[in-house]
Amino acid sequence: MALAAIAIVARCSPLSFPKSNFSPLARVLVARSSSSFKPHLRRYKAMASSLSSSGTAAKTERVTAPYGSWKSPITADVVSGASKRLDGISVDGDGRLLWLESRPSESGRSVLVKEPEKPGEEPVDITPKEFAVRTLCQEYGGGAFSISGDTLVFSNYKDQRLYKQSLHLKDSPPLPITPDYGGPSVCYADGVFDGRFGRYVTVREDRREDSLNPTTMVVAVGLGEKDIQEPKVLISGNDFYAFPRMDPKGEKIAWIEWGHPNMPWDKAELWVGYISEVGDIFKRVCVAGHDPKHVESPTEPKWSPKGELFFITDRQNGFWNLYKWIESTNEVLPLYPLNAEFARSLWVFGMNSYEVIQSDKQKILIACSYRQRGRSHLAIIDVLQSSLSLLDIPFTDIQDITSGNNCLYVEGASGVLPTSVAKVTFNDEKSEIIDFRIIWSSSPDSLKYQSYFSLPELIEFPTEVPGQNAYAYFYPPSNHVYQASQEEKPPLLLKSHGGPTSETRGVLNLSIQYWTSRGWAFVDVNYGGSTGYGREFRERLLGRWGIVDVDDCCSCAKFLVESGKADGNRLCITGGSAGGYTTLAALAFRETFKAGASLYGVADLNMLRAETHKFESHYLDKLVGSEKDYYERSPINSVEKFSCPIILFQGLEDKVRKSCSFQWSPASLVLLPKNQERSIE
């Protein structure tokens, strides 16, 4: 999962760009940092409106200069210190929001922060300085903390033990509730409280016997910190587990499980277990995923206050939709079928795409988010009426939602808003929004540069397969001080996202604005295999990684050239992790791009398969194919085919990808065509 953006600038005459005569400039841009602000809903709408029309303002006063040469206040330093990262939100017993933020200023330390009691006051750090809240479970983590009333349980980064902490007793230090195994060899994630037995039910990953193939199970941890016991195993036997969720009475537990070679978005199962008087599971029912007629990937089970089980799966139309389990007949019923994604791929634990906000005889209301054609929507589903009502908020991208007191806390962003958490307040009928207020922002200082922002445009372009299209977000050059001559077309930097089964989203990212404010066009591609567009689109990559993604990136670049939005002689490509692989493959096996930058990219598919962590250890089984494919699609085996400048970046501590990347340098290396002198700035 990429946390940085890197790109190459080719400096030359804007109207004459020979294939072999230019110099690249490469810089690492790491985006994250900052504080909180509380403007009102109308301000955001006005901001978006003013930005959408700013491109036509004061053209006569602009300085005419070649694309790529424009000066911008969005510097590398601004980008590298731009924003904090959000790693989860929750609400305590007082109805106040807590969020987990990682701070670049503290070397990425993750800290839980509590919403102030009164408006205008400063948020309060909950995590003591000697702790950091983060789990290494399943490598990518997530779900590192949970709250019940005034009790917090969290995973501590250094030793990976679980700790219990009181939110009301300020001087009460966190106390461990799991055994000390002498190091961070046992990890926990995605836990929930079990009030019936006074315990904490969580996913555990045990690496003590085999670090590459750890044992995963669902366990119960006692909440007493004085007499720490070995956790009790509740569920085991499969390769992976997620979303253990207790019903309100503590009599049933729901969970998701899957096994190799499947990833959770390929095929998974939803189970319900019945809990005995002594806390064991004595009966199990498979709710979804067992019927061979339905290839599905259920996710995010959730119990209503009345004990009804809801979840999300893609069994009928290939899109992740909401369903309800009928316990008496073991049937599942769709709530509101729609060709839209109500969930996202399970890369990290703890996702929360919907909340049951009312459950009584008159109404069962579910607040949810869904994505359709590259945009997120916030909605209310009336389960009994089988109706859906849209709610108007400024976010065009929504990640997680959490229920508060007659409100929702929504994590989202837009083309003009960085990742933020907003408090969305309803009227009594929950039919409309009466207030929208930002509680936390990843980068409030970014708004000072809004006059330079380029707004993302969702584009749909034809692929190499007749009748099939793919998608991307296009950002045109934007700087209110400059303009280029009408004869010139801008250079293009194309980004291929990681995963590869992931999704890029059209939200404010200063790493992108760095380039567009300097006169570059930028395009962020959702190639075939990306999530967000249904199972059929997602499965285009099966057996064809290194082909479909590469072809789609090349097709996107060509589409923009043919549309007059980019200079065909100045096309560059970049990407991190799996996106770095696509970058290397595009440069080795195609001739579309003139330069490239790979961030911790995969160069050797065989070594990735052999040495990656358990979660992805069989990922390539479905993505690549035969041994011949593994060899032929690995850029490391075709170094002689590179004919343009490339820059490589690789972290020394990246255990996943270091062994399968180019090994000529641990930090960076530029490959240049023979007999050409180039300067690197």
Side-chain angles (χ1 to χ4, degrees):
M1 308 280 279
L3 300 181
I6 191 170
I8 295 173
V9 172
R11 286 182 175 174
C12 70
S13 168
L15 299 181
S16 175
F17 195 86
K19 182 175 181 180
S20 62
N21 187 24
F22 64 95
S23 302
L25 164 64
R27 291 176 181 166
V28 180
L29 305 178
V30 184
R32 313 284 171 198
S33 168
S34 207
S35 117
S36 71
F37 67 123
K38 294 187 175 183
H40 194 268
L41 171 61
R42 292 180 181 175
R43 177 184 170 189
Y44 301 124
K45 292 184 176 179
M47 183 192 308
S49 176
S50 64
L51 282 173
S52 64
S53 60
S54 62
T56 59
K59 282 189 176 181
T60 56
E61 300 177 5
R62 291 182 176 179
V63 176
T64 300
Y67 286 120
S69 69
W70 302 350
K71 296 184 184 300
S72 169
I74 305 176
T75 63
D77 288 340
V78 168
V79 176
S80 63
S83 62
K84 301 176 183 179
R85 193 179 78 194
L86 190 66
D87 292 314
I89 56 177
S90 188
V91 176
D92 70 3
D94 295 332
R96 288 159 64 188
L97 179 72
L98 279 85
W99 60 86
L100 180 60
E101 64 181 33
S102 62
R103 298 172 173 173
S105 60
E106 299 181 35
S107 302
R109 175 173 169 258
S110 295
V111 180
L112 273 165
V113 185
K114 188 172 183 178
E115 177 186 5
E117 187 173 357
K118 298 178 181 178
E121 294 182 349
E122 289 296 315
V124 179
D125 283 7
I126 298 300
T127 307
K129 292 184 178 181
E130 61 272 24
F131 290 86
V133 181
R134 180 184 170 190
T135 176
L136 298 176
C137 197
Q138 209 165 273
E139 210 65 36
Y140 296 116
F145 73 98
S146 187
I147 300 169
S148 178
D150 72 338
T151 301
L152 162 70
V153 171
F154 68 89
S155 170
N156 183 44
Y157 175 58
K158 186 176 181 179
D159 58 13
Q160 289 297 295
R161 298 176 72 184
L162 290 180
Y163 287 76
K164 185 175 73 170
Q165 181 180 358
S166 172
L167 297 177
H168 285 171
L169 301 176
K170 295 182 180 180
D171 297 328
S172 177
L175 297 173
I177 58 173
T178 54
D180 182 359
Y181 298 110
S185 56
V186 178
C187 314
Y188 305 87
D190 210 10
V192 292
F193 289 83
D194 179 2
R196 180 184 175 194
F197 292 98
R199 59 189 184 178
Y200 189 73
V201 178
T202 180
V203 176
R204 183 180 75 175
E205 185 177 81
D206 190 342
R207 307 179 183 184
R208 284 175 290 177
E209 294 186 5
D210 189 341
S211 61
L212 284 179
N213 188 33
T215 302
T216 307
M217 55 190 66
V218 177
V219 300
V221 177
L223 289 174
E225 64 275 1
K226 292 184 178 180
D227 185 20
I228 298 175
Q229 302 292 326
E230 185 70 21
K232 180 178 184 177
V233 177
L234 297 180
I235 307 163
S236 63
N238 214 331
D239 292 310
F240 302 99
Y241 296 92
F243 295 108
R245 298 295 183 259
M246 304 298 305
D247 81 330
K249 295 182 180 180
E251 297 174 348
K252 293 188 285 286
I253 179 175
W255 71 89
I256 299 293
E257 65 178 62
W258 68 97
H260 290 316
N262 293 308
M263 299 299 284
W265 48 82
D266 293 327
K267 190 176 187 302
E269 295 176 345
L270 167 61
W271 287 79
V272 169
Y274 293 80
I275 300 175
S276 70
E277 293 297 325
V278 295
D280 295 320
I281 295 176
F282 68 90
K283 174 185 173 184
R284 305 183 186 200
V285 175
C286 190
V287 173
H290 63 290
D291 190 341
K293 293 183 295 184
H294 300 297
V295 178
E296 60 182 322
S297 51
T299 186
E300 293 195 53
K302 189 184 295 289
W303 299 93
S304 76
K306 292 173 59 179
E308 305 151 305
L309 180 63
F310 297 94
F311 64 99
I312 297 173
T313 192
D314 57 350
R315 64 163 47 193
Q316 290 187 348
N317 57 6
F319 288 85
W320 279 311
N321 283 192
L322 276 158
Y323 286 77
K324 179 183 178 181
W325 178 49
I326 308 302
E327 183 178 5
S328 59
T329 57
N330 194 25
E331 294 179 284
V332 296
L333 300 177
L335 301 189
Y336 191 86
L338 191 66
N339 286 350
E341 301 279 39
F342 284 75
R344 58 191 191 274
S345 52
L346 202 166
W347 280 102
V348 298
F349 290 104
M351 297 183 297
N352 202 54
S353 303
Y354 69 100
E355 288 275 25
V356 181
I357 59 173
Q358 184 174 336
S359 179
D360 54 38
K361 293 182 180 179
Q362 287 75 35
K363 285 185 177 182
I364 302 174
L365 300 181
I366 293 179
C368 58
S369 64
Y370 67 87
R371 285 184 67 74
Q372 194 171 46
R373 292 190 59 80
R375 181 189 174 99
S376 295
H377 303 272
L378 184 65
I380 301 290
I381 290 181
D382 187 321
V383 176
L384 300 180
Q385 297 293 325
S386 188
S387 63
L388 181 146
S389 303
L390 287 174
L391 300 173
D392 184 22
I393 63 174
F395 292 152
T396 57
D397 179 85
I398 297 172
Q399 292 284 337
D400 290 318
I401 61 177
T402 297
S403 181
N405 295 333
N406 205 38
C407 70
L408 288 175
Y409 291 98
V410 181
E411 177 190 344
S414 74
V416 296
L417 288 172
T419 297
S420 308
V421 178
K423 185 176 184 178
V424 180
T425 306
F426 299 110
N427 60 359
D428 292 338
E429 292 76 28
K430 297 181 175 61
S431 59
E432 64 180 49
I433 295 172
I434 59 175
D435 191 30
F436 176 97
R437 205 165 284 274
I438 296 291
I439 301 298
W440 178 89
S441 170
S442 63
S443 182
D445 292 341
S446 64
L447 296 180
K448 70 174 68 172
Y449 307 107
Q450 65 185 62
S451 60
Y452 294 88
F453 289 169
S454 175
L455 296 181
E457 170 194 349
L458 179 68
I459 61 172
E460 184 175 352
F461 59 90
T463 68
E464 293 289 320
V465 180
Q468 284 190 357
N469 291 346
Y471 306 89
Y473 295 99
F474 175 70
Y475 299 78
S478 178
N479 188 315
H480 67 282
V481 178
Y482 293 93
Q483 64 180 4
S485 65
Q486 293 183 352
E487 295 80 17
E488 184 189 0
K489 302 301 179 185
L492 176 73
L493 179 60
L494 180 145
K495 182 182 177 183
S496 172
H497 66 69
T501 312
S502 189
E503 178 188 5
T504 191
R505 298 177 174 227
V507 299
L508 180 61
N509 183 339
L510 290 187
S511 295
I512 295 175
Q513 304 300 327
Y514 175 95
W515 298 106
T516 57
S517 63
R518 283 167 170 74
W520 279 74
F522 193 103
V523 66
D524 215 348
V525 182
N526 275 318
Y527 47 79
S530 305
T531 49
Y533 299 90
R535 177 177 283 269
E536 182 180 344
F537 191 89
R538 200 164 67 238
E539 292 184 344
R540 288 184 188 178
L541 208 60
L542 296 183
R544 295 178 63 78
W545 188 32
I547 299 176
V548 169
D549 50 321
V550 172
D551 284 344
D552 286 359
C553 287
C554 294
S555 295
C556 181
K558 293 174 183 176
F559 174 79
L560 291 172
V561 171
E562 293 168 359
S563 302
K565 295 182 176 180
D567 184 344
N569 289 317
R570 292 190 286 175
L571 303 177
C572 302
I573 184 171
T574 185
S577 188
Y581 166 72
T582 300
T583 294
L584 294 172
L587 295 173
F589 307 127
R590 305 291 190 276
E591 296 184 354
T592 303
F593 300 98
K594 313 304 180 186
S598 170
L599 286 76
Y600 41 94
V602 175
D604 190 329
L605 295 175
N606 261 314
M607 290 197 70
L608 175 65
R609 174 175 58 172
E611 300 192 15
T612 193
H613 53 95
K614 179 184 176 183
F615 178 60
E616 294 181 276
S617 60
H618 291 267
Y619 192 16
L620 271 65
D621 293 356
K622 292 188 175 183
L623 290 179
V624 181
S626 68
E627 292 300 320
K628 181 181 178 182
D629 293 326
Y630 272 90
Y631 183 87
E632 292 183 347
R633 294 187 208 165
S634 295
I636 193 71
N637 299 321
S638 299
V639 175
E640 72 282 356
K641 294 182 180 179
F642 290 108
S643 60
C644 66
I646 310 166
I647 191 166
L648 309 177
F649 288 81
Q650 184 63 46
L652 290 173
E653 296 182 7
D654 189 345
K655 298 178 181 179
V656 177
R657 303 168 188 87
K658 185 166 64 174
S659 62
C660 56
S661 303
F662 287 112
Q663 291 299 296
W664 300 308
S665 167
S668 64
L669 171 69
V670 177
L671 302 180
L672 301 174
K674 293 180 179 180
N675 303 320
Q676 294 183 26
E677 294 182 0
R678 298 289 176 261
S679 64
I680 303 299
E681 297 183 19

